[in-house]
Amino acid sequence: MTQKQKLELTWIGKDKRPKLEPRILVEEAEKSYHARQRVTDRDIFDNQLIFGDNLLALKALEAEYAGKVKCVFIDPPYNTGSAFTHYDDGLEHSIWLGLMRDRLEILRRLLAEDGSLWITIDDNEAHYLKVLCDEVFGRANFVANLAWHKRVSPANDAKYFSGDFDHVLVIAKNKEVWRPNRLEKNESQLANYRNPDNDPRGVWNSAAYTCAKTAEERPNLYYPIVNPFSLEEVWPSRTRVWAYDRKTHEKNVEAGLLYWGKSGEAKMPRIKKFLTQSKPVVPRSIWGYDEAGHNQESRLEIDRLFPGDPFTTPKPERLIKRVLEIASTNGDLVLDSFAGSGTTGAVAHKMGRRWIMIELGEHCHTHIIPRLKKVIDGDDPGGVTSAVNWRGGGGFRYYRLAPSLLEKDRWGNWVVNPEYNAAMLAEAVCKLEGFSYAPSETHFWQHGHSSESDFIYVTTQTLGVEQLAQLAEEVGEARSLLVCCGAFRGLTAAQAGQRWPNLTLKKLPKMVLSRCEWGHDDYSLNVANLPLAEKPPADPVQQGLFGEEGA
């Protein structure tokens, strides 16, 4: 009997998945920044900038933000091959796909049911990435592959074709409920609205009065109408009939919506569409640089912010603005886990969205923080500032990933990391055990809760029978308490459970040892830092013929 097969993308090491440690986030108040005063009632202060490995940071966010992110925009490394000099092609793609898969799976869990993921990518990995997204999100949730025209001038030094556009993959968490916002008309679209007949209702555009149906398909739309200027009967083509039935046509005539030309010279009428009655437009799948910006524009934006200290691959603010206009509304939560120069957060802030950005590189401090300070202070006149009427305000909190909860001591035993104080330890264990960290001001043993009556207490102390009895009495019969301690004496965990049914005892760190990969701090996509593959042993015959250097 053959195994049931499925259509999937395979790669070397696909079955290997990291056992991620759900780290806690530690705020560094001196790096957080807020406006000195509120500018508007809509100012947002609880944005987050996270410094650390983005896979671990995404895992750290999962417990609190699962199902809450409206829009994820990421601009991951494009895997140009330059970092893979020492790898064969199959391993190159495999490493990149494995690292991306792990991130996409958490991003999917973070997205709201009506949320969407937007990924900019070039031809090198776009098609592999699309199939990978199909596997993680389900093929039915793929929305579109947009083309962003990123170059103004062609790359004349290109060997084959000038790479003039990037792909923007759009994937919905649930395509059945996700809907894109429509866009306001741009200047070129508004230029099509005129008023050649001085209609008192204002400027209008026109549309064909026929539709792509035949007389055989829609006989009720094949009938004569009268040109009011010549009083001649006008019939549509049998292969392209009127777009309206007789009754609707009569209403259109009565409303003065038909346009036959200034003097009635047109062979077919067109129907007026007034600007005052028009609706926002459906987003197109090709984005020109005149609307969504281009690479040269983005480099100029960064150069104005940081003269002489450019960032190599920024995205223009207008590109992010277009994404956020379609994928979010005021107050929605936007996430970028490859923050780069901080464009996503800067634009989201100006547009009144809440945001979370993650960045591991040192440019988190050299570029992102100074850039955001200028945005908050209203000191960034570039990008989309004028377009969205940004005047400053709001703020963000800066977090770093806490170190691993466990480390090995000098004898090779796993112990609680001494960098953890009592509060950090309690928060970390709450996250590992699925409890919400919420220390009580009145009950020392309430460090968190999983329901209204189920609590957790975390301590490195050794607890005796007398202390446990006191805990059981304070907790009471109507509540339960998970006690995580360094040790307990006088009885076993099973005996304690029988004696005090409202208590469950577990020992630290034994209770969490098998949960995660402890002490692993770098899951980065910087594949150049990965260990090199071993060279195959030299062929002794070849070595004898050609020497160590080869021919």
Side-chain angles (χ1 to χ4, degrees):
M1 184 176 178
T2 59
Q3 275 189 330
K4 186 176 180 181
Q5 294 181 317
K6 65 175 181 178
L7 181 67
E8 63 176 327
L9 180 64
T10 61
W11 63 86
I12 301 166
K14 182 179 180 179
D15 57 334
K16 295 180 181 178
R17 293 174 179 271
K19 294 175 68 177
L20 298 173
E21 176 188 357
R23 303 276 182 96
I24 62 171
L25 299 173
V26 180
E27 183 179 3
E28 293 187 5
E30 66 276 10
K31 292 188 177 73
S32 299
Y33 193 77
H34 299 89
R36 294 180 180 178
Q37 59 188 20
R38 184 177 289 276
V39 177
T40 72
D41 293 337
R42 299 183 302 278
D43 288 359
I44 300 171
F45 294 90
D46 61 347
N47 303 298
Q48 296 185 38
L49 175 60
I50 302 171
F51 179 66
D53 179 272
N54 68 358
L55 185 58
L56 286 171
L58 288 172
K59 187 66 178 176
L61 292 170
E62 188 176 4
E64 183 177 354
Y65 289 98
K68 296 180 180 179
V69 178
K70 188 61 180 291
C71 173
V72 173
F73 175 86
I74 57 173
D75 181 31
Y78 284 9
N79 190 16
T80 59
S82 59
F84 290 96
T85 308
H86 303 281
Y87 295 91
D88 63 43
D89 186 63
L91 186 58
E92 168 187 333
H93 292 292
S94 293
I95 293 171
W96 192 85
L97 287 167
L99 294 170
M100 284 301 299
R101 185 269 315 273
D102 298 336
R103 287 155 175 79
L104 289 172
E105 288 181 338
I106 301 180
L107 288 172
R108 182 184 179 277
R109 294 194 287 271
L110 290 172
L111 276 173
E113 199 68 9
D114 60 348
S116 58
L117 167 66
W118 301 65
I119 313 174
T120 50
I121 197 75
D122 69 2
D123 285 336
N124 196 54
E125 292 290 356
H127 306 90
Y128 288 99
L129 182 58
K130 193 275 179 186
V131 177
L132 178 60
C133 288
D134 286 347
E135 187 168 317
V136 174
F137 285 81
R139 189 173 180 180
N141 289 314
F142 173 74
V143 177
N145 177 12
L146 312 178
W148 166 50
H149 193 178
K150 64 180 182 179
R151 280 183 178 272
V152 176
S153 304
N156 290 318
D157 58 347
K159 186 175 181 180
Y160 300 109
F161 292 90
S162 174
D164 292 340
F165 77 95
D166 274 347
H167 302 262
V168 183
L169 301 181
V170 185
I171 301 98
K173 172 72 173 286
N174 183 347
K175 195 175 174 182
E176 292 298 312
V177 299
W178 181 78
R179 291 293 180 271
N181 298 324
R182 298 199 170 199
L183 298 169
E184 295 300 323
K185 292 177 175 62
N186 58 38
E187 290 183 10
S188 63
Q189 291 165 334
L190 290 173
N192 294 322
Y193 285 82
R194 300 175 183 176
N195 195 359
D197 60 349
N198 296 315
D199 194 306
R201 289 170 289 188
V203 295
W204 50 270
N205 195 355
S206 65
Y209 207 63
T210 55
C211 68
K213 297 292 182 182
T214 67
E216 286 70 27
E217 291 175 311
R218 298 294 300 273
N220 65 315
L221 300 181
Y222 185 69
Y223 57 89
I225 65 174
V226 176
N227 182 328
F229 292 87
S230 66
L231 302 181
E232 293 179 354
E233 233 180 34
V234 179
W235 287 80
S237 165
R238 292 193 64 85
T239 58
R240 189 175 177 86
V241 296
W242 302 127
Y244 307 92
D245 60 28
R246 286 178 183 268
K247 189 173 182 179
T248 306
H249 166 69
E250 290 169 2
K251 290 181 179 179
N252 290 339
V253 171
E254 186 178 349
L257 296 180
L258 271 67
Y259 184 66
W260 292 86
K262 283 187 176 181
S263 306
E265 69 278 3
K267 293 182 179 180
M268 291 283 181
R270 294 180 67 81
I271 187 164
K272 293 181 179 180
K273 304 285 185 179
F274 290 94
L275 180 60
T276 54
Q277 299 171 348
S278 68
K279 297 178 180 178
V281 297
V282 175
R284 305 288 295 272
S285 60
I286 297 178
W287 292 5
Y289 54 71
D290 56 333
E291 292 183 294
H294 49 80
N295 282 347
Q296 185 178 357
E297 175 182 317
S298 60
R299 284 191 285 269
L300 287 172
E301 288 173 353
I302 293 298
D303 189 56
R304 290 190 190 102
L305 290 168
F306 307 101
D309 186 17
F311 188 83
T312 54
T313 56
K315 290 293 179 285
E317 290 201 6
R318 286 196 293 162
L319 174 67
I320 308 302
K321 175 177 177 286
R322 172 59 59 94
V323 170
L324 299 187
E325 283 174 336
I326 297 170
S328 67
T329 56
N330 285 343
D332 282 340
L333 180 59
V334 176
L335 169 65
D336 184 350
S337 54
F338 294 90
S341 63
T343 304
T344 300
V347 176
H349 201 97
K350 293 176 184 180
M351 294 179 66
R353 274 61 164 169
R354 295 178 297 132
W355 55 264
I356 299 173
M357 289 195 293
I358 303 167
E359 182 52 58
L360 176 60
E362 188 54 32
H363 47 271
C364 180
H365 307 112
T366 60
H367 288 72
I368 296 178
I369 291 178
R371 181 179 191 173
L372 292 173
K373 286 182 176 180
K374 290 182 179 181
V375 171
I376 292 165
D377 291 340
D379 219 8
D380 172 19
V384 301
T385 295
S386 296
V388 300
N389 194 28
W390 175 248
R391 294 180 295 153
F396 68 90
R397 296 184 183 278
Y398 173 97
Y399 295 91
R400 61 174 174 83
L401 278 172
S404 183
L405 174 61
L406 303 185
E407 66 174 21
K408 286 188 175 180
D409 63 15
R410 56 192 291 192
W411 296 282
N413 300 313
W414 287 106
V415 296
V416 173
N417 192 323
E419 291 187 41
Y420 274 70
N421 58 34
M424 291 171 64
L425 175 63
E427 184 179 357
V429 175
C430 281
K431 183 167 281 193
L432 283 162
E433 293 295 312
F435 284 73
S436 297
Y437 177 63
S440 169
E441 295 181 359
T442 55
H443 299 290
F444 74 92
W445 46 267
Q446 285 187 11
H447 285 152
H449 56 83
S450 61
S451 71
E452 292 183 357
S453 58
D454 299 301
F455 300 92
I456 185 172
Y457 172 49
V458 182
T459 178
T460 55
Q461 295 180 0
T462 298
L463 301 180
V465 173
E466 186 176 325
Q467 292 164 301
L468 293 171
Q470 183 181 352
L471 279 173
E473 183 179 350
E474 286 194 32
V475 171
E477 295 181 1
R479 298 182 291 195
S480 72
L481 181 66
L482 172 60
V483 180
C484 308
C485 56
F488 40 87
R489 63 177 182 270
L491 74 175
T492 66
Q495 289 170 337
Q498 292 176 348
R499 186 167 177 179
W500 302 293
N502 57 352
L503 300 185
T504 300
L505 270 58
K506 292 184 179 181
K507 287 185 181 180
L508 283 171
K510 182 180 179 181
M511 60 180 284
V512 297
L513 270 181
S514 61
R515 301 276 187 88
C516 315
E517 297 172 348
W518 303 104
H520 195 149
D521 293 318
D522 187 4
Y523 294 90
S524 70
L525 271 166
N526 186 4
V527 293
N529 292 337
L530 294 172
L532 300 182
E534 293 183 9
K535 293 182 178 179
D539 187 324
V541 176
Q542 294 293 323
Q543 192 169 1
L545 289 173
F546 303 113
E548 291 184 6
E549 299 282 328

